[in-house]
Amino acid sequence: MEYKAIRFVKRPETEITPDIFETVTLQTPELADREYLVKQTHISLDPAMRTWMSEEPGYIEPVAIGDVMRCLGVGEVVESRNPDFPVGSRVAGVSGWAEYVLGGEDWQIVPPELPVEALMCVMNLPGLTAYVGLNVVARPVAGETIVISGAAGSVGSLVGQMAKAEGLRVIGVAGTDEKCQWLEEELGFDKAINYRSANLEAQLAAATPDGVDIYFENTGGPIQQLVFDCMNRFGRISVCGMISDYNRATPAPGPSWVDINLKALRVEGFVVVDHYDKAPQAVEMLTSLLQGGKLKYRAHTLHGLDSAIEGVNLLFSGENKGKLLVAL
Ligand SMILES: NC(=O)c1ccc[n+]([C@@H]2O[C@H](COP(=O)([O-])OP(=O)(O)OC[C@H]3O[C@@H](n4cnc5c(N)ncnc54)[C@H](OP(=O)(O)O)[C@@H]3O)[C@@H](O)[C@H]2O)c1
């Protein structure tokens, strides 16, 4: 059977441009023992893809030139020679920009009754990332103040709601007034600040009268120094991502280490792939928040495989409103 796939054919120098991809028609293979074929229904577009396109090895191998572009996907098993993944199962795992993929032994079978948006926006990597960055790395205490950059994004919006449920004062930073309004009015953030507006320093000071105990860092950029300057002694900075640097040839310089020393700050980076063992606790917490009506999410869904080529840049322009997905 013929199917469409998108190959990664050139490393970007800075921004992701359409010429780094090539759309091809491929043929589904004859299955070997324990192989199974998945017809994908949705793929996830994530900021991490930009780091996978770089030549430098990171926490996983870069995507090789000529390979189908890597992503996370969900779909249905349509042919199988693996009894653990029978035909008809709904499965999710690391896949590629393609209509059909071979699933791996490490893929998960997901309950068919779970809506795909809940799976991709909450139960999949965004939820585990939020759980690890908040509860394993930052370790909040009720009454503390947390500031979250990239707050209206798939990870940031979950972090804020989890922190709210744990009794923190929650301040979000996002790039449009619409996103800030969503954070305050729909998700219950105590305050949201548009980092593109004026008087950021004064806005931040007004929003954090007791200083900042936790900074959940998703973006980097000029807001980083301003939040850093408000950190309380024994504060924690959970370094989840630095999207403002991903398209730059040279990363922006960071704050001075003097305050890390004198304020006894703990600055800790993490990558979710090192924390799959925490998935059961994360799923338990996320399920309970979802069932209690304390966790809202929104998906920004594009349509058709080719839409991934231009669509991935919505993450960098900030035009995605919620978890960016492609429905195939
Ligand atoms: N450590 C891990 O294991 C892990 C796992 C998943 C994600 N992450 C990281 O977490 C961060 C958020 O990822 P996500 O999946 O939740 O994406 P997302 O927030 O849903 O989408 C990316 C958002 O980043 C903001 N942004 C883009 N360029 C920016 C810039 N130059 N300065 C400030 N903000 C900018 C935009 O929102 P605005 O409109 O608000 O600007 C955009 O909507 C990323 O840095 C990602 O790499 C890390």
Side-chain angles (χ1 to χ4, degrees), residues 211-248:
V212 177
D213 301 295
I214 299 174
Y215 180 31
F216 196 103
E217 174 63 297
N218 278 317
T219 66
I223 191 72
Q224 185 183 67
Q225 182 69 54
L226 298 180
V227 180
F228 188 81
D229 291 342
C230 297
M231 293 301 297
N232 290 329
R233 291 203 80 223
F234 308 110
R236 288 85 72 205
I237 301 181
S238 181
V239 186
C240 176
M242 212 60 65
I243 193 168
S244 69
D245 277 340
Y246 295 168
N247 283 333
R248 292 168 60 118

PDB file of all heavy atoms in Angstrom, residues 211-248:
ATOM      1  N   GLY A 211       7.894  38.012  46.474  1.00  0.00           N
ATOM      2  CA  GLY A 211       9.019  37.436  45.734  1.00  0.00           C
ATOM      3  C   GLY A 211       8.620  36.152  45.019  1.00  0.00           C
ATOM      4  O   GLY A 211       7.444  35.767  44.999  1.00  0.00           O
ATOM      5  N   VAL A 212       9.618  35.495  44.442  1.00  0.00           N
ATOM      6  CA  VAL A 212       9.365  34.287  43.642  1.00  0.00           C
ATOM      7  C   VAL A 212      10.126  33.116  44.274  1.00  0.00           C
ATOM      8  O   VAL A 212      11.333  33.199  44.492  1.00  0.00           O
ATOM      9  CB  VAL A 212       9.834  34.492  42.183  1.00  0.00           C
ATOM     10  CG1 VAL A 212       9.655  33.217  41.365  1.00  0.00           C
ATOM     11  CG2 VAL A 212       9.094  35.661  41.538  1.00  0.00           C
ATOM     12  N   ASP A 213       9.398  32.049  44.560  1.00  0.00           N
ATOM     13  CA  ASP A 213      10.043  30.861  45.144  1.00  0.00           C
ATOM     14  C   ASP A 213      10.420  29.850  44.068  1.00  0.00           C
ATOM     15  O   ASP A 213      11.397  29.126  44.209  1.00  0.00           O
ATOM     16  CB  ASP A 213       9.085  30.209  46.156  1.00  0.00           C
ATOM     17  CG  ASP A 213       8.709  31.185  47.258  1.00  0.00           C
ATOM     18  OD1 ASP A 213       9.623  31.570  48.021  1.00  0.00           O
ATOM     19  OD2 ASP A 213       7.534  31.596  47.314  1.00  0.00           O
ATOM     20  N   ILE A 214       9.593  29.786  43.009  1.00  0.00           N
ATOM     21  CA  ILE A 214       9.860  28.811  41.933  1.00  0.00           C
ATOM     22  C   ILE A 214       9.720  29.515  40.589  1.00  0.00           C
ATOM     23  O   ILE A 214       8.728  30.214  40.343  1.00  0.00           O
ATOM     24  CB  ILE A 214       8.859  27.634  41.988  1.00  0.00           C
ATOM     25  CG1 ILE A 214       8.988  26.881  43.319  1.00  0.00           C
ATOM     26  CG2 ILE A 214       9.077  26.685  40.806  1.00  0.00           C
ATOM     27  CD1 ILE A 214       7.924  25.802  43.510  1.00  0.00           C
ATOM     28  N   TYR A 215      10.714  29.329  39.757  1.00  0.00           N
ATOM     29  CA  TYR A 215      10.600  29.806  38.375  1.00  0.00           C
ATOM     30  C   TYR A 215      10.605  28.568  37.477  1.00  0.00           C
ATOM     31  O   TYR A 215      11.590  27.816  37.454  1.00  0.00           O
ATOM     32  CB  TYR A 215      11.779  30.732  38.042  1.00  0.00           C
ATOM     33  CG  TYR A 215      11.751  31.287  36.617  1.00  0.00           C
ATOM     34  CD1 TYR A 215      10.554  31.521  35.948  1.00  0.00           C
ATOM     35  CD2 TYR A 215      12.939  31.592  35.954  1.00  0.00           C
ATOM     36  CE1 TYR A 215      10.530  32.026  34.661  1.00  0.00           C
ATOM     37  CE2 TYR A 215      12.930  32.109  34.667  1.00  0.00           C
ATOM     38  CZ  TYR A 215      11.720  32.320  34.021  1.00  0.00           C
ATOM     39  OH  TYR A 215      11.698  32.817  32.737  1.00  0.00           O
ATOM     40  N   PHE A 216       9.493  28.346  36.785  1.00  0.00           N
ATOM     41  CA  PHE A 216       9.425  27.223  35.842  1.00  0.00           C
ATOM     42  C   PHE A 216       9.744  27.804  34.476  1.00  0.00           C
ATOM     43  O   PHE A 216       8.936  28.522  33.874  1.00  0.00           O
ATOM     44  CB  PHE A 216       8.029  26.581  35.855  1.00  0.00           C
ATOM     45  CG  PHE A 216       7.990  25.223  35.216  1.00  0.00           C
ATOM     46  CD1 PHE A 216       7.950  24.071  35.986  1.00  0.00           C
ATOM     47  CD2 PHE A 216       8.023  25.086  33.832  1.00  0.00           C
ATOM     48  CE1 PHE A 216       7.926  22.810  35.396  1.00  0.00           C
ATOM     49  CE2 PHE A 216       8.005  23.834  33.237  1.00  0.00           C
ATOM     50  CZ  PHE A 216       7.962  22.693  34.020  1.00  0.00           C
ATOM     51  N   GLU A 217      10.933  27.499  33.972  1.00  0.00           N
ATOM     52  CA  GLU A 217      11.475  28.169  32.785  1.00  0.00           C
ATOM     53  C   GLU A 217      11.251  27.339  31.519  1.00  0.00           C
ATOM     54  O   GLU A 217      11.804  26.249  31.362  1.00  0.00           O
ATOM     55  CB  GLU A 217      12.978  28.402  33.021  1.00  0.00           C
ATOM     56  CG  GLU A 217      13.760  28.948  31.855  1.00  0.00           C
ATOM     57  CD  GLU A 217      13.318  30.325  31.398  1.00  0.00           C
ATOM     58  OE1 GLU A 217      12.174  30.451  30.964  1.00  0.00           O
ATOM     59  OE2 GLU A 217      14.149  31.248  31.481  1.00  0.00           O
ATOM     60  N   ASN A 218      10.409  27.897  30.648  1.00  0.00           N
ATOM     61  CA  ASN A 218      10.132  27.223  29.372  1.00  0.00           C
ATOM     62  C   ASN A 218      10.716  27.944  28.171  1.00  0.00           C
ATOM     63  O   ASN A 218      10.743  27.372  27.078  1.00  0.00           O
ATOM     64  CB  ASN A 218       8.608  27.159  29.147  1.00  0.00           C
ATOM     65  CG  ASN A 218       7.944  26.020  29.885  1.00  0.00           C
ATOM     66  OD1 ASN A 218       8.461  24.909  29.892  1.00  0.00           O
ATOM     67  ND2 ASN A 218       6.816  26.281  30.495  1.00  0.00           N
ATOM     68  N   THR A 219      11.096  29.209  28.364  1.00  0.00           N
ATOM     69  CA  THR A 219      11.388  30.017  27.172  1.00  0.00           C
ATOM     70  C   THR A 219      12.753  30.669  27.126  1.00  0.00           C
ATOM     71  O   THR A 219      13.307  30.860  26.053  1.00  0.00           O
ATOM     72  CB  THR A 219      10.342  31.154  27.030  1.00  0.00           C
ATOM     73  OG1 THR A 219      10.488  32.056  28.125  1.00  0.00           O
ATOM     74  CG2 THR A 219       8.929  30.604  26.968  1.00  0.00           C
ATOM     75  N   GLY A 220      13.310  31.113  28.259  1.00  0.00           N
ATOM     76  CA  GLY A 220      14.447  32.030  28.205  1.00  0.00           C
ATOM     77  C   GLY A 220      13.948  33.371  27.694  1.00  0.00           C
ATOM     78  O   GLY A 220      12.758  33.687  27.798  1.00  0.00           O
ATOM     79  N   GLY A 221      14.844  34.159  27.126  1.00  0.00           N
ATOM     80  CA  GLY A 221      14.467  35.501  26.660  1.00  0.00           C
ATOM     81  C   GLY A 221      14.585  36.506  27.790  1.00  0.00           C
ATOM     82  O   GLY A 221      14.936  36.160  28.930  1.00  0.00           O
ATOM     83  N   PRO A 222      14.272  37.789  27.497  1.00  0.00           N
ATOM     84  CA  PRO A 222      14.506  38.869  28.475  1.00  0.00           C
ATOM     85  C   PRO A 222      13.766  38.687  29.800  1.00  0.00           C
ATOM     86  O   PRO A 222      14.220  39.165  30.831  1.00  0.00           O
ATOM     87  CB  PRO A 222      13.989  40.117  27.740  1.00  0.00           C
ATOM     88  CG  PRO A 222      14.032  39.762  26.288  1.00  0.00           C
ATOM     89  CD  PRO A 222      13.819  38.287  26.193  1.00  0.00           C
ATOM     90  N   ILE A 223      12.634  37.957  29.798  1.00  0.00           N
ATOM     91  CA  ILE A 223      11.884  37.773  31.044  1.00  0.00           C
ATOM     92  C   ILE A 223      12.727  37.003  32.073  1.00  0.00           C
ATOM     93  O   ILE A 223      12.553  37.146  33.286  1.00  0.00           O
ATOM     94  CB  ILE A 223      10.540  37.049  30.770  1.00  0.00           C
ATOM     95  CG1 ILE A 223       9.612  37.091  31.990  1.00  0.00           C
ATOM     96  CG2 ILE A 223      10.747  35.623  30.327  1.00  0.00           C
ATOM     97  CD1 ILE A 223       9.011  38.431  32.264  1.00  0.00           C
ATOM     98  N   GLN A 224      13.666  36.208  31.588  1.00  0.00           N
ATOM     99  CA  GLN A 224      14.447  35.351  32.497  1.00  0.00           C
ATOM    100  C   GLN A 224      15.182  36.175  33.557  1.00  0.00           C
ATOM    101  O   GLN A 224      15.140  35.868  34.743  1.00  0.00           O
ATOM    102  CB  GLN A 224      15.454  34.529  31.687  1.00  0.00           C
ATOM    103  CG  GLN A 224      16.214  33.528  32.504  1.00  0.00           C
ATOM    104  CD  GLN A 224      17.248  32.802  31.666  1.00  0.00           C
ATOM    105  OE1 GLN A 224      18.219  33.387  31.196  1.00  0.00           O
ATOM    106  NE2 GLN A 224      17.016  31.523  31.441  1.00  0.00           N
ATOM    107  N   GLN A 225      15.872  37.227  33.117  1.00  0.00           N
ATOM    108  CA  GLN A 225      16.639  38.034  34.070  1.00  0.00           C
ATOM    109  C   GLN A 225      15.701  38.711  35.067  1.00  0.00           C
ATOM    110  O   GLN A 225      16.008  38.796  36.263  1.00  0.00           O
ATOM    111  CB  GLN A 225      17.462  39.088  33.315  1.00  0.00           C
ATOM    112  CG  GLN A 225      18.337  39.953  34.211  1.00  0.00           C
ATOM    113  CD  GLN A 225      19.503  39.194  34.836  1.00  0.00           C
ATOM    114  OE1 GLN A 225      20.284  38.567  34.127  1.00  0.00           O
ATOM    115  NE2 GLN A 225      19.612  39.230  36.155  1.00  0.00           N
ATOM    116  N   LEU A 226      14.558  39.188  34.576  1.00  0.00           N
ATOM    117  CA  LEU A 226      13.621  39.901  35.456  1.00  0.00           C
ATOM    118  C   LEU A 226      13.091  38.967  36.544  1.00  0.00           C
ATOM    119  O   LEU A 226      13.000  39.350  37.706  1.00  0.00           O
ATOM    120  CB  LEU A 226      12.452  40.485  34.645  1.00  0.00           C
ATOM    121  CG  LEU A 226      12.836  41.525  33.578  1.00  0.00           C
ATOM    122  CD1 LEU A 226      11.596  42.013  32.844  1.00  0.00           C
ATOM    123  CD2 LEU A 226      13.570  42.698  34.224  1.00  0.00           C
ATOM    124  N   VAL A 227      12.757  37.746  36.172  1.00  0.00           N
ATOM    125  CA  VAL A 227      12.260  36.797  37.183  1.00  0.00           C
ATOM    126  C   VAL A 227      13.403  36.405  38.119  1.00  0.00           C
ATOM    127  O   VAL A 227      13.230  36.349  39.338  1.00  0.00           O
ATOM    128  CB  VAL A 227      11.643  35.536  36.525  1.00  0.00           C
ATOM    129  CG1 VAL A 227      11.139  34.572  37.591  1.00  0.00           C
ATOM    130  CG2 VAL A 227      10.515  35.905  35.575  1.00  0.00           C
ATOM    131  N   PHE A 228      14.558  36.180  37.538  1.00  0.00           N
ATOM    132  CA  PHE A 228      15.728  35.790  38.337  1.00  0.00           C
ATOM    133  C   PHE A 228      15.986  36.812  39.452  1.00  0.00           C
ATOM    134  O   PHE A 228      16.275  36.455  40.588  1.00  0.00           O
ATOM    135  CB  PHE A 228      16.947  35.671  37.413  1.00  0.00           C
ATOM    136  CG  PHE A 228      18.164  35.095  38.063  1.00  0.00           C
ATOM    137  CD1 PHE A 228      18.306  33.729  38.228  1.00  0.00           C
ATOM    138  CD2 PHE A 228      19.186  35.916  38.507  1.00  0.00           C
ATOM    139  CE1 PHE A 228      19.430  33.189  38.828  1.00  0.00           C
ATOM    140  CE2 PHE A 228      20.320  35.390  39.110  1.00  0.00           C
ATOM    141  CZ  PHE A 228      20.437  34.022  39.269  1.00  0.00           C
ATOM    142  N   ASP A 229      15.829  38.110  39.102  1.00  0.00           N
ATOM    143  CA  ASP A 229      16.085  39.173  40.078  1.00  0.00           C
ATOM    144  C   ASP A 229      15.074  39.168  41.221  1.00  0.00           C
ATOM    145  O   ASP A 229      15.321  39.768  42.262  1.00  0.00           O
ATOM    146  CB  ASP A 229      16.067  40.545  39.385  1.00  0.00           C
ATOM    147  CG  ASP A 229      17.267  40.722  38.466  1.00  0.00           C
ATOM    148  OD1 ASP A 229      18.251  39.975  38.620  1.00  0.00           O
ATOM    149  OD2 ASP A 229      17.217  41.594  37.578  1.00  0.00           O
ATOM    150  N   CYS A 230      13.915  38.523  41.007  1.00  0.00           N
ATOM    151  CA  CYS A 230      12.868  38.486  42.059  1.00  0.00           C
ATOM    152  C   CYS A 230      12.961  37.213  42.909  1.00  0.00           C
ATOM    153  O   CYS A 230      12.120  37.010  43.799  1.00  0.00           O
ATOM    154  CB  CYS A 230      11.477  38.511  41.428  1.00  0.00           C
ATOM    155  SG  CYS A 230      11.112  39.979  40.499  1.00  0.00           S
ATOM    156  N   MET A 231      13.920  36.334  42.619  1.00  0.00           N
ATOM    157  CA  MET A 231      13.949  35.042  43.332  1.00  0.00           C
ATOM    158  C   MET A 231      14.218  35.241  44.821  1.00  0.00           C
ATOM    159  O   MET A 231      15.066  36.033  45.217  1.00  0.00           O
ATOM    160  CB  MET A 231      15.041  34.113  42.762  1.00  0.00           C
ATOM    161  CG  MET A 231      14.823  33.632  41.347  1.00  0.00           C
ATOM    162  SD  MET A 231      13.321  32.696  41.041  1.00  0.00           S
ATOM    163  CE  MET A 231      13.538  31.242  42.062  1.00  0.00           C
ATOM    164  N   ASN A 232      13.482  34.508  45.648  1.00  0.00           N
ATOM    165  CA  ASN A 232      13.717  34.493  47.092  1.00  0.00           C
ATOM    166  C   ASN A 232      14.865  33.560  47.433  1.00  0.00           C
ATOM    167  O   ASN A 232      15.205  32.665  46.639  1.00  0.00           O
ATOM    168  CB  ASN A 232      12.461  33.991  47.812  1.00  0.00           C
ATOM    169  CG  ASN A 232      11.322  34.990  47.732  1.00  0.00           C
ATOM    170  OD1 ASN A 232      11.562  36.201  47.676  1.00  0.00           O
ATOM    171  ND2 ASN A 232      10.098  34.493  47.712  1.00  0.00           N
ATOM    172  N   ARG A 233      15.388  33.698  48.620  1.00  0.00           N
ATOM    173  CA  ARG A 233      16.418  32.757  49.090  1.00  0.00           C
ATOM    174  C   ARG A 233      15.825  31.344  49.094  1.00  0.00           C
ATOM    175  O   ARG A 233      14.650  31.149  49.364  1.00  0.00           O
ATOM    176  CB  ARG A 233      16.910  33.122  50.498  1.00  0.00           C
ATOM    177  CG  ARG A 233      17.717  34.399  50.526  1.00  0.00           C
ATOM    178  CD  ARG A 233      18.643  34.451  51.737  1.00  0.00           C
ATOM    179  NE  ARG A 233      19.863  33.664  51.514  1.00  0.00           N
ATOM    180  CZ  ARG A 233      20.410  32.853  52.412  1.00  0.00           C
ATOM    181  NH1 ARG A 233      19.860  32.682  53.595  1.00  0.00           N
ATOM    182  NH2 ARG A 233      21.509  32.179  52.121  1.00  0.00           N
ATOM    183  N   PHE A 234      16.620  30.390  48.775  1.00  0.00           N
ATOM    184  CA  PHE A 234      16.245  28.966  48.686  1.00  0.00           C
ATOM    185  C   PHE A 234      15.230  28.700  47.569  1.00  0.00           C
ATOM    186  O   PHE A 234      14.510  27.705  47.577  1.00  0.00           O
ATOM    187  CB  PHE A 234      15.735  28.420  50.033  1.00  0.00           C
ATOM    188  CG  PHE A 234      16.670  28.682  51.169  1.00  0.00           C
ATOM    189  CD1 PHE A 234      16.340  29.593  52.175  1.00  0.00           C
ATOM    190  CD2 PHE A 234      17.914  28.077  51.211  1.00  0.00           C
ATOM    191  CE1 PHE A 234      17.219  29.857  53.209  1.00  0.00           C
ATOM    192  CE2 PHE A 234      18.803  28.348  52.243  1.00  0.00           C
ATOM    193  CZ  PHE A 234      18.455  29.246  53.245  1.00  0.00           C
ATOM    194  N   GLY A 235      15.164  29.628  46.609  1.00  0.00           N
ATOM    195  CA  GLY A 235      14.270  29.443  45.471  1.00  0.00           C
ATOM    196  C   GLY A 235      14.779  28.337  44.559  1.00  0.00           C
ATOM    197  O   GLY A 235      15.950  27.940  44.606  1.00  0.00           O
ATOM    198  N   ARG A 236      13.867  27.818  43.735  1.00  0.00           N
ATOM    199  CA  ARG A 236      14.222  26.761  42.774  1.00  0.00           C
ATOM    200  C   ARG A 236      13.868  27.206  41.365  1.00  0.00           C
ATOM    201  O   ARG A 236      12.788  27.765  41.149  1.00  0.00           O
ATOM    202  CB  ARG A 236      13.475  25.448  43.062  1.00  0.00           C
ATOM    203  CG  ARG A 236      13.972  24.717  44.300  1.00  0.00           C
ATOM    204  CD  ARG A 236      13.346  25.208  45.588  1.00  0.00           C
ATOM    205  NE  ARG A 236      11.961  24.811  45.732  1.00  0.00           N
ATOM    206  CZ  ARG A 236      11.062  25.472  46.468  1.00  0.00           C
ATOM    207  NH1 ARG A 236      11.408  26.566  47.125  1.00  0.00           N
ATOM    208  NH2 ARG A 236       9.817  25.028  46.549  1.00  0.00           N
ATOM    209  N   ILE A 237      14.765  26.943  40.437  1.00  0.00           N
ATOM    210  CA  ILE A 237      14.484  27.235  39.026  1.00  0.00           C
ATOM    211  C   ILE A 237      14.486  25.907  38.285  1.00  0.00           C
ATOM    212  O   ILE A 237      15.508  25.209  38.219  1.00  0.00           O
ATOM    213  CB  ILE A 237      15.528  28.215  38.438  1.00  0.00           C
ATOM    214  CG1 ILE A 237      15.502  29.523  39.235  1.00  0.00           C
ATOM    215  CG2 ILE A 237      15.237  28.456  36.957  1.00  0.00           C
ATOM    216  CD1 ILE A 237      16.461  30.591  38.762  1.00  0.00           C
ATOM    217  N   SER A 238      13.308  25.547  37.779  1.00  0.00           N
ATOM    218  CA  SER A 238      13.158  24.281  37.070  1.00  0.00           C
ATOM    219  C   SER A 238      13.316  24.591  35.583  1.00  0.00           C
ATOM    220  O   SER A 238      12.467  25.246  34.983  1.00  0.00           O
ATOM    221  CB  SER A 238      11.760  23.712  37.386  1.00  0.00           C
ATOM    222  OG  SER A 238      11.583  22.481  36.746  1.00  0.00           O
ATOM    223  N   VAL A 239      14.424  24.144  35.012  1.00  0.00           N
ATOM    224  CA  VAL A 239      14.746  24.528  33.628  1.00  0.00           C
ATOM    225  C   VAL A 239      14.216  23.450  32.687  1.00  0.00           C
ATOM    226  O   VAL A 239      14.822  22.387  32.517  1.00  0.00           O
ATOM    227  CB  VAL A 239      16.265  24.728  33.449  1.00  0.00           C
ATOM    228  CG1 VAL A 239      16.555  25.258  32.044  1.00  0.00           C
ATOM    229  CG2 VAL A 239      16.810  25.692  34.499  1.00  0.00           C
ATOM    230  N   CYS A 240      13.052  23.744  32.116  1.00  0.00           N
ATOM    231  CA  CYS A 240      12.361  22.782  31.258  1.00  0.00           C
ATOM    232  C   CYS A 240      12.725  22.989  29.798  1.00  0.00           C
ATOM    233  O   CYS A 240      12.913  22.021  29.044  1.00  0.00           O
ATOM    234  CB  CYS A 240      10.860  22.948  31.466  1.00  0.00           C
ATOM    235  SG  CYS A 240       9.864  21.912  30.402  1.00  0.00           S
ATOM    236  N   GLY A 241      12.791  24.239  29.359  1.00  0.00           N
ATOM    237  CA  GLY A 241      13.089  24.517  27.945  1.00  0.00           C
ATOM    238  C   GLY A 241      13.526  25.945  27.756  1.00  0.00           C
ATOM    239  O   GLY A 241      13.386  26.789  28.656  1.00  0.00           O
ATOM    240  N   MET A 242      14.058  26.206  26.574  1.00  0.00           N
ATOM    241  CA  MET A 242      14.651  27.520  26.288  1.00  0.00           C
ATOM    242  C   MET A 242      14.325  27.870  24.843  1.00  0.00           C
ATOM    243  O   MET A 242      15.212  28.105  24.037  1.00  0.00           O
ATOM    244  CB  MET A 242      16.168  27.380  26.501  1.00  0.00           C
ATOM    245  CG  MET A 242      16.885  28.596  26.993  1.00  0.00           C
ATOM    246  SD  MET A 242      16.313  29.204  28.556  1.00  0.00           S
ATOM    247  CE  MET A 242      16.776  27.851  29.618  1.00  0.00           C
ATOM    248  N   ILE A 243      13.012  27.897  24.537  1.00  0.00           N
ATOM    249  CA  ILE A 243      12.615  27.983  23.122  1.00  0.00           C
ATOM    250  C   ILE A 243      13.144  29.234  22.434  1.00  0.00           C
ATOM    251  O   ILE A 243      13.389  29.214  21.226  1.00  0.00           O
ATOM    252  CB  ILE A 243      11.080  27.842  22.970  1.00  0.00           C
ATOM    253  CG1 ILE A 243      10.703  27.618  21.507  1.00  0.00           C
ATOM    254  CG2 ILE A 243      10.327  29.019  23.552  1.00  0.00           C
ATOM    255  CD1 ILE A 243       9.265  27.191  21.281  1.00  0.00           C
ATOM    256  N   SER A 244      13.366  30.308  23.185  1.00  0.00           N
ATOM    257  CA  SER A 244      13.842  31.537  22.526  1.00  0.00           C
ATOM    258  C   SER A 244      15.256  31.358  21.978  1.00  0.00           C
ATOM    259  O   SER A 244      15.707  32.164  21.167  1.00  0.00           O
ATOM    260  CB  SER A 244      13.801  32.720  23.496  1.00  0.00           C
ATOM    261  OG  SER A 244      14.774  32.561  24.501  1.00  0.00           O
ATOM    262  N   ASP A 245      15.942  30.331  22.404  1.00  0.00           N
ATOM    263  CA  ASP A 245      17.313  30.090  21.913  1.00  0.00           C
ATOM    264  C   ASP A 245      17.386  29.062  20.780  1.00  0.00           C
ATOM    265  O   ASP A 245      18.430  28.936  20.141  1.00  0.00           O
ATOM    266  CB  ASP A 245      18.200  29.562  23.055  1.00  0.00           C
ATOM    267  CG  ASP A 245      18.737  30.685  23.926  1.00  0.00           C
ATOM    268  OD1 ASP A 245      18.749  31.839  23.462  1.00  0.00           O
ATOM    269  OD2 ASP A 245      19.144  30.394  25.072  1.00  0.00           O
ATOM    270  N   TYR A 246      16.320  28.284  20.565  1.00  0.00           N
ATOM    271  CA  TYR A 246      16.452  27.119  19.676  1.00  0.00           C
ATOM    272  C   TYR A 246      16.815  27.500  18.243  1.00  0.00           C
ATOM    273  O   TYR A 246      17.507  26.744  17.561  1.00  0.00           O
ATOM    274  CB  TYR A 246      15.173  26.272  19.678  1.00  0.00           C
ATOM    275  CG  TYR A 246      14.833  25.616  21.000  1.00  0.00           C
ATOM    276  CD1 TYR A 246      13.586  25.042  21.207  1.00  0.00           C
ATOM    277  CD2 TYR A 246      15.744  25.555  22.048  1.00  0.00           C
ATOM    278  CE1 TYR A 246      13.253  24.436  22.409  1.00  0.00           C
ATOM    279  CE2 TYR A 246      15.414  24.965  23.254  1.00  0.00           C
ATOM    280  CZ  TYR A 246      14.171  24.401  23.429  1.00  0.00           C
ATOM    281  OH  TYR A 246      13.846  23.809  24.623  1.00  0.00           O
ATOM    282  N   ASN A 247      16.324  28.682  17.788  1.00  0.00           N
ATOM    283  CA  ASN A 247      16.627  29.073  16.408  1.00  0.00           C
ATOM    284  C   ASN A 247      17.855  29.982  16.310  1.00  0.00           C
ATOM    285  O   ASN A 247      18.188  30.436  15.223  1.00  0.00           O
ATOM    286  CB  ASN A 247      15.426  29.811  15.792  1.00  0.00           C
ATOM    287  CG  ASN A 247      14.312  28.859  15.394  1.00  0.00           C
ATOM    288  OD1 ASN A 247      14.554  27.692  15.104  1.00  0.00           O
ATOM    289  ND2 ASN A 247      13.087  29.345  15.389  1.00  0.00           N
ATOM    290  N   ARG A 248      18.487  30.229  17.426  1.00  0.00           N
ATOM    291  CA  ARG A 248      19.645  31.139  17.398  1.00  0.00           C
ATOM    292  C   ARG A 248      20.928  30.346  17.187  1.00  0.00           C
ATOM    293  O   ARG A 248      21.074  29.234  17.693  1.00  0.00           O
ATOM    294  CB  ARG A 248      19.765  31.890  18.734  1.00  0.00           C
ATOM    295  CG  ARG A 248      18.645  32.885  18.994  1.00  0.00           C
ATOM    296  CD  ARG A 248      18.685  33.357  20.435  1.00  0.00           C
ATOM    297  NE  ARG A 248      19.957  34.004  20.742  1.00  0.00           N
ATOM    298  CZ  ARG A 248      20.068  35.275  21.103  1.00  0.00           C
ATOM    299  NH1 ARG A 248      19.009  36.032  21.200  1.00  0.00           N
ATOM    300  NH2 ARG A 248      21.252  35.774  21.377  1.00  0.00           N
TER     301      ARG A 248
END
